[in-house]
């Protein structure tokens, strides 16, 4: 059945055990309602490969970006556990405090789970097997917090009271006696565990957590994932209790903070915070993480799938103005990938160059006709002399398409290095005329020819005012960007750039300004330091401007202008709009409205659409009606909703019930002329009450004190 719902194809970030289920779901999404069914298997395979590549690349990038902060936390836990063995006074004083790592992760809360999971795994593998991870929603009271800590550390059932212990034994008689909820029980368990590990046979291999002497007593680490969400009173009591057992139990806390380190001061009074030895750890900002993801997945020619400027703008806007979540940004990228391969029959060509050229030869007559109908191909066709041959000869069209696909890959291979070079040159300029981040420059290049903008012209003027050392440094950075690129045009550009650098380095710094010109320029400046009126000041400034225009250019200025003009020629040759390239539609996803509709959910609009037109969701032929009407066979809540739209601010429940009963009687096939038609019985009454209750729960009506037999309508206007 045809549907536009995203949920049928969205299996993002599923556990690896369900990988087969995800693959089946994606395949089902492609085989139902997909255009160009003859190539759906090829498109599904390419889409799945790219989907897995996005997943692996982002996971590897996440580990790489978090490596420094996680290594610092591991070193902190090792250092704190070794400090307890020292006998000096300072170490003993620190040993009386609970070591606490304040981990500031930022406001991108959806991304925190991956970071904490990596930290949890690393701690258990490298430092200690005793790690417990807690969330505020499961620790509303102190007893619940204690229970979660003991259960996750000891791996057993913990009873909060005697009644709960008896209930557990009655439920499962074979269950061992549950542990009492106290830190004394945890201390006894910890001592028994450490004794067992120290009394092992000499020939038995030790685990990674007890490699050396300092790990004979591994710390007990408790991670508070979302510190701001915890009840301050519960947290204070827990810290006070733990501080009394610090001599017997090597406790260690990790606070996950989303806002600011000052949160600890706001939540904990001085009497409690003084019991903690706090060290601050700052993770990478979410914007830096996003820049790395965009650089890895979007600004590269190795990933054939591309986003148009509008789609890219939607994803970046959702990131900046909604949640700062890189994980959700990647979900949006995967959504666009899925929608592109599902809705574009020619997306089988969106792959590596060799595979794309092979797939061109496998295109059927229907796909070749779709190519002829592409707007970019029609523009290309108008410029060719062999129009008739391309419109009639399929074999010749395939050969031309292979060449166009090859040219499109070459365009991407040259586009991104020049984009990086332009960003290197302009990101250091005052006020960032073309944006501080490379994604901003990329968006400008996707929307229009960048060299036609005023910001670009002003950037070129500023580049012509750079000093020698600054210019050489920037051009060397551009050379480093171009050096690894395997492209003939980029290699030629690199040769020319290195020649310019060699000429600049050979220049004598003293020859930058001619002596005669320098005297002419400095004389008016000395006059400006004297007392003068506004007219004389304006006259002197005009004279200085004229002298600059008429002065002879120095060798450095000639070379500087030559370098800027060379960069300008590279930009005009390689940063043209993607829409100007034939067959760009096979690689670029352009439906920003679809992405916005799926990611920027509007619950009220969706609910109203479902209640007004249930056929669009249920897909039952009996629910098909004309616009503005609801079938009498529709669900009860749809009938009640449609009737309530015909009422005013206050709705009489009895009149509403009678109208509902009449519609339902017609749906049951009752004779309209019979005496019982439209009468209210117990079943209809109960169904009506349930429908009204559901509408009240959804926020469409509410009870009113003005009239007890009426309800107030809360919503107005259509969806």
């Amino acid at each position: 059945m045809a549907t536009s719902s995203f949920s049928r194809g969205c299996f993002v970030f599923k556990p690896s055990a369900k990988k087969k289920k995800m693959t089946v779901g994606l395949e089902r999404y492609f085989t139902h309602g997909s255009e160009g069914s003859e190539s759906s298997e090829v498109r599904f395979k390419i889409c799945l490969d790219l989907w897995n590549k996005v997943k692996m690349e982002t996971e590897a990038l996440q580990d790489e970006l978090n490596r420094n902060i996680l290594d610092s936390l591991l070193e902190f836990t090792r250092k704190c556990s070794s400090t307890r063995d020292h006998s000096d006074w300072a170490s003993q004083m620190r040993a009386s405090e609970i070591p606490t790592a304040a981990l500031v992760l930022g406001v991108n809360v959806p991304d925190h789970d991956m970071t904490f999971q990596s930290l949890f795994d690393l701690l258990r593998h490298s430092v200690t097997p005793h790690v417990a991870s807690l969330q505020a929603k499961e620790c509303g009271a102190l007893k619940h917090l204690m229970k979660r800590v003991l259960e996750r550390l000891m791996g057993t059932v913990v009873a909060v009271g005697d009644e709960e212990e008896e209930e557990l034994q009655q439920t499962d008689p074979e269950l061992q006696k549950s542990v009492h909820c106290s830190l004394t029980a945890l201390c006894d368990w910890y001592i028994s565990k450490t004794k067992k590990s120290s009394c092992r046979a000499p020939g038995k291999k030790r685990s990674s957590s007890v490699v050396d002497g300092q790990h004979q007593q591994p710390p007990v680490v408790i991670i508070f994932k979302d510190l701001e969400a915890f009840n301050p009173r519960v947290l204070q009591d827990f810290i006070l209790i733990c501080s009394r057992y610090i001599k017997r139990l090597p406790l260690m806390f990790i606070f996950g903070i989303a806002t600011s380190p000052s949160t600890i001061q706001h939540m904990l009074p001085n009497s409690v915070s003084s019991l903690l030895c706090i060290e601050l750890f700052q993770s990478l900002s979410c914007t830096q993480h996003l820049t790395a993801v965009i650089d890895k997945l979007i600004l590269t020619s190795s990933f054939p799938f591309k986003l148009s400027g509008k789609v890219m703008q939607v994803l970046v806007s959702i990131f900046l103005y909604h949640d700062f979540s890189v994980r959700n940004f990647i979900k949006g990228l995967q959504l666009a990938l899925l929608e592109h391969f599902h809705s574009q029959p020619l997306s089988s060509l969106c792959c590596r160059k060799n595979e794309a050229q092979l797939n061109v030869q496998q295109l059927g007559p229907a796909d070749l006709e779709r190519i002829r109908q592409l707007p970019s191909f029609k523009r290309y066709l108008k410029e060719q002399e062999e129009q008739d041959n391309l419109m009639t000869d399929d074999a010749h069209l395939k050969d031309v398409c292979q060449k166009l696909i090859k040219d499109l890959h070459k365009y991407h291979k040259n586009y991104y290095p020049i984009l990086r070079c332009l960003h290197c040159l302009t990101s250091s300029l005052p006020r960032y005329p073309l944006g501080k981040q490379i994604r901003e420059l990329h968006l400008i290049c996707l929307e229009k020819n960048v060299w036609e903008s005023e910001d670009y012209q002003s950037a070129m003027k500023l580049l012509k005012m750079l000093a020698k050392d600054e210019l050489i440094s920037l051009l060397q950075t551009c050379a480093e960007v171009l050096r690894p690129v395997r492209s003939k045009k980029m290699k030629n550009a690199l040769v020319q750039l290195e020649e310019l650098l060699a000429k600049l380095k050979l220049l004598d710094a003293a020859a930058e300004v001619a002596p005669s010109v320098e005297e002419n320029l400095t004389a008016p400046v000395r006059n400006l330091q004297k007392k003068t009126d506004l007219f004389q000041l304006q006259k002197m400034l005009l004279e200085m401007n004229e002298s600059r225009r008429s002065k002879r250019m120095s060798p450095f200025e000639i070379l500087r202008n030559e370098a800027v003009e060379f960069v300008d020629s590279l930009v005009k040759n390689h940063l043209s709009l993607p829409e100007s390239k034939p067959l760009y539609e096979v690689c670029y996803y352009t439906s920003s409205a679809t992405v916005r509709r799926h990611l920027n959910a509007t619950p009220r609009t969706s609910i109203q659409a479902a209640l007004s037109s249930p056929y669009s969701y249920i897909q039952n032929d009996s629910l098909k009606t004309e616009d503005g009407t609801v079938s009498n066979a529709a669900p009860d809540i749809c009938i009640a909703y449609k009737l309530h739209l015909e009422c005013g601010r206050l709705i009489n429940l009895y009149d509403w019930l009678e109208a509902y009963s009449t519609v339902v009687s017609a749906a049951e096939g009752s004779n309209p002329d019979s005496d019982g038609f439209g009468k209210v019985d117990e079943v209809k009454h109960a169904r009506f009450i349930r429908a009204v209750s559901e509408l009240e729960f959804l926020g469409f009506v509410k009870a009113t004190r003005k009239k007890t037999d009426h309800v107030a309508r809360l919503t107005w206007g259509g969806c």
Side-chain angles (χ1 to χ4, degrees), residues 636-638 687-701:
D636 294 337
I637 187 173
C638 297
R687 288 168 59 185
F688 174 75
I689 291 174
R690 184 178 64 178
V692 173
S693 300
E694 290 172 347
L695 288 175
E696 184 178 7
F697 176 76
L698 293 173
F700 290 100
V701 295

Side-chain angles (χ1 to χ4, degrees), residues 520-532:
N520 294 333
L521 290 176
T522 54
V525 176
R526 295 193 199 100
N527 294 332
L528 286 175
Q529 297 173 357
K530 302 176 182 178
K531 267 193 173 183
T532 181

Side-chain angles (χ1 to χ4, degrees), residues 155-306:
T156 184
V157 179
V158 177
V160 177
D162 296 335
E163 295 180 358
E164 186 174 341
E165 184 175 349
E166 293 176 2
E167 184 179 349
L168 288 170
Q169 291 179 353
Q170 291 175 2
T171 304
D172 190 355
E174 297 181 358
L175 189 68
Q176 295 180 358
K177 187 176 181 181
S178 59
V179 178
H180 186 63
C181 186
S182 68
L183 281 186
T184 303
L186 181 62
C187 290
D188 297 339
W189 171 85
Y190 179 79
I191 292 171
S192 65
K193 283 287 182 181
T194 51
K195 281 184 179 179
K196 286 181 182 178
S197 62
S198 60
C199 296
R200 283 176 303 185
K204 192 173 181 180
K205 187 178 179 181
R206 295 186 175 186
S207 64
S208 59
S209 61
V210 287
V211 174
D212 47 33
Q214 71 179 27
H215 288 163
Q216 287 295 331
Q217 288 190 340
V220 178
V221 182
I222 302 175
I223 302 174
F224 298 85
K225 287 186 176 181
D226 44 354
L227 183 71
E228 290 92 343
F230 276 85
N231 187 330
R233 188 63 193 172
V234 171
L235 195 62
Q236 293 169 24
D237 293 341
F238 180 72
I239 294 173
L240 289 170
I241 294 172
C242 290
S243 65
R244 300 186 179 184
Y245 290 86
I246 191 64
K247 297 291 185 182
R248 300 172 57 190
L249 198 64
L251 288 167
M252 185 178 301
F253 295 158
I254 296 178
F255 290 163
I257 301 173
T259 53
S260 169
S262 60
T263 302
I264 299 176
Q265 299 175 352
H266 298 154
M267 295 184 67
L268 305 177
N270 187 48
S271 58
V272 177
S273 61
S274 61
L275 302 173
L276 305 176
C277 179
I278 302 174
E279 188 166 334
L280 184 64
F281 296 87
Q282 181 77 48
S283 69
L284 273 178
S285 68
C286 52
T287 52
Q288 290 174 306
H289 194 173
L290 177 68
T291 301
V293 169
I294 291 176
D295 188 70
K296 191 82 171 178
L297 294 177
I298 296 177
L299 303 181
T300 174
S301 59
S302 61
F303 194 68
F305 173 71
K306 306 297 177 187

Side-chain angles (χ1 to χ4, degrees), residues 509-563:
E512 291 185 12
V513 180
S516 59
V517 176
E518 186 177 3
E519 291 176 4
N520 294 333
L521 290 176
T522 54
V525 176
R526 295 193 199 100
N527 294 332
L528 286 175
Q529 297 173 357
K530 302 176 182 178
K531 267 193 173 183
T532 181
D533 56 16
L534 185 60
F535 176 75
Q536 290 178 340
L537 176 64
Q538 188 177 8
K539 183 179 178 181
M540 290 178 185
L541 289 174
L542 288 172
E543 289 177 357
M544 290 175 64
N545 191 28
E546 289 297 327
S547 63
R548 285 195 180 96
R549 289 181 180 179
S550 60
K551 75 182 180 69
R552 184 172 57 85
M553 293 179 67
S554 67
F556 165 69
E557 290 172 331
I558 295 172
L559 275 177
R560 182 174 59 188
N561 289 349
E562 184 181 345

Side-chain angles (χ1 to χ4, degrees), residues 291 299 419-420 423 436-443:
T291 301
L299 303 181
L419 181 74
R420 296 181 194 281
H423 175 255
K436 185 178 181 180
Q437 302 290 340
I438 192 171
R439 66 170 183 268
E440 300 172 22
L441 177 58
H442 179 54
L443 285 173

Side-chain angles (χ1 to χ4, degrees), residues 62-75 77-78 114-131 208-209 215 219 221 223 254:
Q62 177 82 13
D63 294 339
E64 183 181 345
L65 293 176
N66 288 334
R67 185 177 301 161
N68 291 335
I69 187 71
L70 294 180
D71 289 347
S72 301
L73 282 168
L74 290 179
E75 184 62 29
T77 54
R78 293 191 184 102
M114 294 176 67
T115 304
F116 280 118
Q117 186 60 46
S118 300
L119 176 61
F120 183 86
D121 295 339
L122 281 172
L123 286 172
R124 295 201 67 173
H125 182 264
S126 305
V127 180
T128 173
H130 314 310
V131 186
S208 59
S209 61
H215 288 163
V221 182
I223 302 174
I254 296 178

